[in-house]
Amino acid sequence: MKMMGESWAELGSRIAGLMFVWATIQQFFPHQLRVYLDKLSNKLLGIVYPFVQITVHEYTGGRRNEVYAAIESYLGAKSTAQARRLKADMVKNSKSFVLSLDKSEEVTDEFRGVKLWWVLKESVRSATTFSLYRSAPDERKYYTLSFHRKNRDIVAGAYLSYVMEEGKALELKNRQRKLYTNKPNDSWGWEGKHLWNHIVFEHPASFRTLAMDPKKKQEIIDDLIAFGKSKEYYAKVGKAWKRGYLLYGPPGTGKSTMIAAMANFLNYDVYDLELTSVKNNSDLRKLLVDTSSKSIIVIEDIDCSLDLTGTRKKKKKGKSGEEEQNDPLEAKEENEGEDGSKVTLSGLLNFIDGIWSACGPERIIIFTTNHKEKLDPALIRRGRMDMHIEMSYCKFEAFKVLAKNYLDVDSHPLFETVGRLLEETSMSPCDVAENLIPKTASKEVETCLNNLVEALNKAKETARLNAEKEAKTKKVSARRYSRWMKMIGKLRRKNED
């Protein structure tokens, strides 16, 4: 037997064909007679086929339809009990899976006494069809919802709102967080579809294990909590619901680990944006639009990604001979390279807090850099990068966190020596952690701490030698400069004579 939804769909298709023929014949009738016949035919159609159908496609405007995703999650629970064919997807960091409706399967639902039918379908593109878009998909999925026309108001209002609310709640519950990276432009698919590659995000970092000053760490946690609860506040003040963080400091100080800890704390996806593979500002906007809410957009080493530092063109002289102040955004656009990416500073600023930045709620944008002083001030001002977080060299409080993580100790007689050496020299948390990792199965605490003390002493001695060498170099340079100046003075006096 054919399923109820398919039977009604087939009948509706045949009636639609008859209606098309009837409409063609009507062209030869007088206007008043056509109006009368239209009313009569609609009444007859309502008697024969009193059902309404709503279609929800998986992709609209080149991006995945959020309504489709919510329906898919909502029908997952329904399909488990009713459908004969199901598909399984991994969730919860690959530790469990969720079932959903397979194609051509029908699920019956009921809401306030109203009976409804859901069917998942696919339209197959003909092999002879020519597409102007690259990599046009052979199959396009969509859901159809069928119901009696007398229930139109209930379905279009309360029921669809209920499905969206329940679907999003289930989607968040079963959500498998992902790490995205943008594809090169020449590999983008049909109508801009598939702009990002992704893998499951399973980084174990957390604020508990993050080696950082506890007060600074708590300040960041409080800021993240406040951001997550500020939807109404951002709407009240008329700002897009987003926040920017600038992480800066020497290599190995935990900037990437901080991003992972933020993502795990908020349960957000991470989009790792590689600017050098983005052709222009227009493609940058497409990538932004294709990101989801509850996500962190990361541009690491922003000072190395593109020519977006604070250097300016030399000032032009106007007709009066006075120097004209260049517009920094114009200067950047004039300096955009002929090869590779042509993303400009103005394009990136629009990406951060322009009109396009409001295309989706609850987003965090993070820049990382080893050299904050090289960045253009316009890029990192408050309102764009709202919070500047310095990731510094390891100090004693951060060391205690690492000792607890790696050696499971809270105190030791060598802690005092380590604390003194950390104040006297600079060592990144990454290097400290490397010295604390047990190199044998015995995991002797004292051996690991002694290794760290030895490494700190070596770093201290190296820093002392480098400082002496630098001082000597400066002294030699000063003597040479003094000799040159004396020679120049003698030559000037000789010429004057």
Side-chain angles (χ1 to χ4, degrees):
M1 291 181 64
K2 291 186 177 181
M3 293 179 292
M4 176 66 72
E6 292 184 351
S7 300
W8 283 114
E10 184 178 348
L11 177 60
S13 178
R14 292 181 179 179
I15 293 175
L18 292 174
M19 292 300 296
F20 174 76
V21 175
W22 176 244
T24 304
I25 297 174
Q26 280 185 321
Q27 300 299 318
F28 301 98
F29 294 165
H31 175 72
Q32 292 182 343
L33 180 59
R34 287 204 305 270
V35 172
Y36 175 77
L37 291 174
D38 283 339
K39 292 181 180 179
L40 180 61
S41 61
N42 287 332
K43 288 183 179 179
L44 291 174
L45 181 61
I47 296 173
V48 178
Y49 187 77
F51 288 86
V52 177
Q53 189 175 86
I54 297 176
T55 302
V56 181
H57 290 273
E58 182 177 12
Y59 285 90
T60 57
R63 63 175 299 181
R64 198 165 194 262
N65 190 351
E66 292 185 6
V67 178
Y68 179 94
I71 293 171
E72 186 177 42
S73 299
Y74 173 77
L75 293 178
K78 304 283 183 182
S79 60
T80 303
Q82 299 183 27
R84 293 171 298 172
R85 290 181 297 173
L86 303 168
K87 62 179 180 179
D89 295 305
M90 298 300 296
V91 296
K92 295 289 184 184
N93 296 329
S94 302
K95 294 180 181 178
S96 62
F97 61 90
V98 63
L99 297 175
S100 58
L101 195 65
D102 201 0
K103 63 180 180 180
S104 300
E105 283 292 306
E106 182 181 80
V107 168
T108 304
D109 196 13
E110 189 170 337
F111 180 77
R112 296 182 184 177
V114 177
K115 197 169 185 180
L116 310 102
W117 295 270
W118 287 99
V119 181
L120 175 62
K121 298 182 179 181
E122 287 184 355
S123 60
V124 181
R125 182 172 61 93
S126 172
T128 58
T129 302
F130 173 75
S131 175
L132 294 175
Y133 302 103
R134 293 169 293 177
S135 304
D138 292 330
E139 296 178 341
R140 302 178 186 179
K141 297 179 182 178
Y142 60 95
Y143 283 106
T144 60
L145 170 63
S146 302
F147 55 92
H148 199 283
R149 62 191 178 101
K150 68 180 181 181
N151 301 314
R152 182 192 296 267
D153 292 339
I154 295 177
V155 174
Y159 177 69
L160 290 181
S161 298
Y162 169 77
V163 170
M164 284 294 296
E165 183 179 347
E166 290 293 312
K168 286 185 175 181
L170 288 169
E171 189 178 3
L172 185 61
K173 179 182 177 181
N174 298 323
R175 186 182 187 190
Q176 183 183 46
R177 289 184 299 112
K178 297 175 182 177
L179 172 62
Y180 294 85
T181 184
N182 53 302
K183 292 182 178 181
N185 296 60
D186 55 7
S187 65
W188 288 4
W190 160 74
E191 294 182 349
K193 180 183 171 185
H194 304 311
L195 276 58
W196 300 87
N197 285 320
H198 70 267
I199 59 173
V200 177
F201 184 75
E202 295 180 317
H203 200 293
S206 68
F207 280 106
R208 181 185 63 81
T209 60
L210 187 65
M212 192 177 191
D213 180 77
K215 291 183 180 179
K216 186 185 292 186
K217 189 189 301 186
Q218 189 60 48
E219 182 183 350
I220 297 168
I221 292 173
D222 292 341
D223 191 78
L224 292 172
I225 293 173
F227 171 76
K229 296 179 178 179
S230 299
K231 180 179 180 180
E232 291 78 10
Y233 175 77
Y234 276 85
K236 176 184 176 182
V237 299
K239 291 182 64 178
W241 190 14
K242 64 176 184 58
R243 191 154 179 81
Y245 294 87
L246 174 68
L247 308 184
Y248 66 96
T253 51
K255 293 185 286 294
S256 297
T257 305
M258 170 66 79
I259 294 169
M262 286 181 168
N264 287 329
F265 182 77
L266 294 170
N267 197 27
Y268 281 10
D269 291 328
V270 178
Y271 288 83
D272 183 15
L273 177 59
E274 178 54 58
L275 279 180
T276 55
S277 64
V278 183
K279 284 186 177 180
N280 50 48
N281 296 337
S282 176
D283 287 341
L284 184 63
R285 288 193 294 268
K286 291 177 184 177
L287 287 166
L288 175 63
V289 170
D290 203 46
T291 60
S292 63
S293 59
K294 293 185 179 294
S295 62
I296 298 176
I297 303 171
V298 180
I299 303 179
E300 294 200 86
D301 298 319
I302 183 67
D303 54 309
C304 302
S305 297
L306 292 173
D307 182 19
L308 296 170
T309 56
T311 56
R312 304 293 190 198
K313 274 189 162 185
K314 291 183 179 180
K315 296 178 180 179
K316 299 177 183 178
K317 290 189 176 181
K319 295 180 180 179
S320 61
E322 296 181 356
E323 289 182 332
E324 295 179 352
Q325 182 69 37
N326 287 332
D327 184 335
L329 303 187
E330 291 181 359
K332 285 299 173 186
E333 291 179 345
E334 291 173 2
N335 277 325
E336 63 182 38
E338 294 181 0
D339 299 324
S341 176
K342 292 187 178 180
V343 175
T344 64
L345 178 60
S346 61
L348 190 59
L349 295 184
N350 282 327
F351 177 89
I352 300 170
D353 71 341
I355 294 176
W356 286 94
S357 68
C359 65
E362 205 170 354
R363 284 187 175 94
I364 287 176
I365 300 174
I366 297 179
F367 290 164
T368 71
T369 179
N370 297 336
H371 306 283
K372 177 184 176 182
E373 68 281 357
K374 290 185 178 180
L375 297 180
D376 194 301
L379 190 65
I380 60 175
R381 69 162 175 79
R382 306 294 177 176
R384 287 170 179 156
M385 294 294 105
D386 303 284
M387 192 173 186
H388 295 189
I389 304 171
E390 182 180 7
M391 308 298 292
S392 59
Y393 289 111
C394 188
K395 298 302 178 184
F396 186 62
E397 292 297 328
F399 157 74
K400 289 196 293 185
V401 175
L402 292 173
K404 181 65 175 177
N405 293 341
Y406 288 89
L407 303 175
D408 198 24
V409 293
D410 295 309
S411 63
H412 191 275
L414 287 173
F415 272 26
E416 184 179 350
T417 304
V418 171
R420 174 178 55 79
L421 290 171
L422 286 173
E423 293 297 326
E424 296 173 354
T425 188
S426 297
M427 181 175 283
S428 69
C430 181
D431 290 333
V432 172
E434 180 59 29
N435 286 284
L436 291 178
I437 295 176
K439 303 300 189 294
T440 61
S442 61
K443 298 183 180 179
E444 294 182 2
V445 174
E446 189 163 350
T447 300
C448 294
L449 291 174
N450 278 323
N451 290 338
L452 176 59
V453 169
E454 183 180 351
L456 286 168
N457 280 319
K458 286 182 179 179
K460 180 181 177 181
E461 181 63 17
T462 301
R464 184 185 66 80
L465 293 174
N466 289 337
E468 289 179 356
K469 184 178 179 180
E470 185 178 354
K472 186 177 179 180
T473 301
K474 288 182 178 179
K475 190 174 181 180
V476 171
S477 298
R479 285 202 301 264
R480 288 177 178 174
Y481 178 77
S482 179
R483 286 199 300 266
W484 275 105
M485 293 303 294
K486 287 180 181 179
M487 290 176 61
I488 292 172
K490 289 180 180 179
L491 290 173
R492 284 179 177 175
R493 286 193 297 270
K494 185 177 180 179
N495 290 334
E496 290 174 358
D497 295 340

